[in-house]
Amino acid sequence: MQIREVPFIAMGGVYEQDDVEAAQQVIAAVANPEGTFFPLPEENDFQRAFAEHEGAKKAIAVNSCGTALDCCMMALGIEPGDEAITTPLTFVCTAGTAVARGARVVFADIDPVTWCLDPAKVRERITERTRAIIPVHFAGLACDIDGFDRITEETGIPVIYDAAHAVSTKHNGQPIGGRGRASCYSFQSNKNMTTLGEGGAVTTNDEAFAEQVRELKTFGYVYGAAGVRVASIGFNYRMTKPQYAVGLTQLAKVDRVIKDRQDRMARLNELLADVEEIILPVGLGPEHGAHLNVIRVDTDKVSFSAAEFAARLKSEYRAGTAKHYPAVWTWEAFQKLGYNGDGCPIAAKVCDQVISLPVFPRTTEEELQYIAWAVKQTIGELGG
Ligand SMILES: Cc1ncc(COP(=O)(O)O)c(C=O)c1O
């Protein structure tokens, strides 16, 4: 095959004329003398639509998944002395938001097949100080929500899902946004839908929790007949009016975008099915949020590392990849706090082996064939 460029692009969804027009209309309206960037009615419209899409009673839009997690940690009252159990195979802020409130995160191991946090391993790590469990629907695959429900039923410990990868993800045919105490979504640029580059939301079926998050995202304000009260110490974590408007157009197309991603990921799995040296993602199909196409280099079978594999794929075949993720405990900030991989041998291995291949909603059949060919060539050249 002829060498071609297949970059790992930083735009995860698609951005079309209706998105451009939605943003333009808001901005044009503000040019009128009575215009304002005050975000109603778009904020409420987007929150209602997103809650409905994710099967939750309430959605509270915020300006990132990081701030969504932050609000949830604050709403739970996480404080020094507390522990929060999470997965090591995640973006740093899944763990960082609990640490920022003074808690200690406790890493529990992942399931060797789904690569999501394993409820059985979480049980082993629960202490009298555990105040939250924070699983991730990794790459868009729903984690074992029923297993976490059982833990909450037995112990009362609330579960906050990191659903940054999981817009549209389903579990047994149902959206996941109403499960646990709450779920935190991301609309950052490389996610499957974006609100002009940054954005996020908390979804929940717990109306009191929703109200706490709403207060926290807006200075602690409570609106009443007598005006505004400041009921708690809050922040300003709001999105802007054009972002809410684009959120509505992005949401209207996100299932189509995700179907395009699912089809391409399933096709790439098919093209790579005979490659024994790599481990392919499981659960691809209509329930998968299809955010990342993560494969593992099976280092039990080959003598090269995932990093060497990715470097050669790039240098010889111009195929971009990304790493989702190094184990959280390996980041400098977590090292300084004394974190390590004790008790997480599966995550330690998986984090060393993972590579995300460049599959996006507009990736063509020729590009998929090229990626599969380049993967096979690279493995052959590195020594199989
Ligand atoms: C698993 C996970 N959690 C949280 C985040 C943070 O999202 P945001 O950039 O919207 O704060 C990300 C972003 O990449 C993520 O992948």
Side-chain angles (χ1 to χ4, degrees):
M1 268 194 198
Q2 179 131 24
I3 302 294
R4 60 196 293 173
E5 193 86 31
V6 189
F8 198 94
I9 55 180
M11 182 73 185
V14 298
Y15 191 65
E16 297 167 320
Q17 196 52 32
D18 58 337
D19 305 301
V20 176
E21 280 166 16
Q24 276 173 343
Q25 272 168 20
V26 169
I27 294 164
V30 174
N32 294 325
E34 71 283 7
T36 161
F37 276 114
F38 189 70
L40 295 178
E42 289 85 353
E43 181 180 30
N44 284 345
D45 292 348
F46 177 66
Q47 292 183 147
R48 260 194 300 273
F50 192 71
E52 191 185 337
H53 188 264
E54 297 303 325
K57 281 191 186 153
K58 291 278 175 191
I60 305 93
V62 289
N63 54 16
S64 74
C65 183
T67 50
L69 285 161
D70 207 16
C71 286
C72 288
M73 294 302 109
M74 287 190 277
L76 290 181
I78 302 292
E79 59 184 12
D82 292 347
E83 290 176 357
I85 304 177
T86 192
T87 168
L89 177 62
T90 188
F91 185 62
V92 60
C93 92
T94 315
T97 46
V99 175
R101 308 257 49 96
R104 186 147 186 90
V105 280
V106 175
F107 295 113
D109 216 347
I110 59 173
D111 180 287
V113 176
T114 65
W115 315 338
C116 291
L117 188 64
D118 182 345
K121 299 290 166 40
V122 167
R123 281 175 187 277
E124 293 168 9
R125 300 253 149 169
I126 291 172
T127 71
E128 71 280 1
R129 290 188 296 280
T130 309
R131 296 284 176 272
I133 299 168
I134 317 168
V136 177
H137 301 299
F138 181 72
L141 178 66
C143 64
D144 182 359
I145 299 175
D146 299 329
F148 291 114
D149 274 356
R150 283 191 289 276
I151 295 180
T152 302
E153 277 157 28
E154 288 164 31
T155 65
I157 299 168
V159 177
I160 302 292
Y161 289 101
D162 182 331
H165 302 171
V167 171
S168 287
T169 290
K170 309 249 177 347
H171 176 66
N172 295 335
Q174 300 301 316
I176 47 104
R179 304 297 294 267
R181 182 66 58 86
S183 299
C184 298
Y185 292 85
S186 174
F187 312 133
Q188 179 261 345
S189 180
N190 61 23
K191 302 302 186 296
N192 293 358
M193 63 173 270
T194 184
T195 45
L196 299 178
E198 300 287 354
V202 176
T203 61
T204 180
N205 280 346
D206 180 330
E207 308 233 2
F209 193 81
E211 177 54 19
Q212 272 179 292
V213 172
R214 191 207 55 71
E215 250 179 69
L216 284 164
K217 91 163 196 187
T218 317
F219 309 115
Y221 279 4
V222 175
Y223 304 94
V228 171
R229 268 187 321 125
V230 176
S232 58
I233 303 298
F235 300 85
N236 181 354
Y237 284 167
R238 293 175 294 194
M239 292 203 291
T240 63
K241 191 178 181 81
Q243 287 181 284
Y244 291 118
V246 172
L248 285 163
T249 51
Q250 285 277 292
L251 189 59
K253 73 183 72 173
V254 74
D255 288 326
R256 173 196 13 124
V257 169
I258 288 173
K259 173 80 170 73
D260 287 345
R261 284 178 155 276
Q262 287 165 347
D263 290 349
R264 284 157 178 76
M265 291 184 185
R267 175 70 178 135
L268 189 57
N269 255 18
E270 201 176 279
L271 292 167
L272 292 173
D274 59 346
V275 186
E276 285 173 9
E277 293 86 351
I278 58 178
I279 301 167
L280 296 172
V282 298
L284 293 178
E287 305 220 317
H288 199 291
H291 174 51
L292 298 171
N293 196 108
V294 182
I295 63 163
R296 286 167 57 193
V297 173
D298 192 343
T299 47
D300 288 339
K301 294 189 181 152
V302 299
S303 56
F304 53 87
S305 69
E308 286 165 333
F309 173 77
R312 190 169 182 94
L313 207 53
K314 178 81 183 150
S315 64
E316 301 302 310
Y317 297 98
R318 296 202 217 140
T321 59
K323 183 171 176 75
H324 299 97
Y325 295 94
V328 174
W329 69 72
T330 62
W331 294 110
E332 189 186 329
F334 284 80
Q335 289 280 301
K336 281 189 199 150
L337 292 169
Y339 287 99
N340 59 45
D342 286 357
C344 299
I346 301 169
K349 185 171 187 175
V350 172
C351 289
D352 277 347
Q353 295 176 328
V354 283
I355 292 198
S356 302
L357 295 176
V359 182
F360 299 95
R362 289 170 171 155
T363 304
T364 63
E365 169 65 18
E366 291 70 34
E367 286 170 325
L368 292 172
Q369 289 189 15
Y370 178 78
I371 295 164
W373 173 76
V375 164
K376 292 176 191 177
Q377 289 287 113
T378 303
I379 289 171
E381 289 158 11
L382 284 172

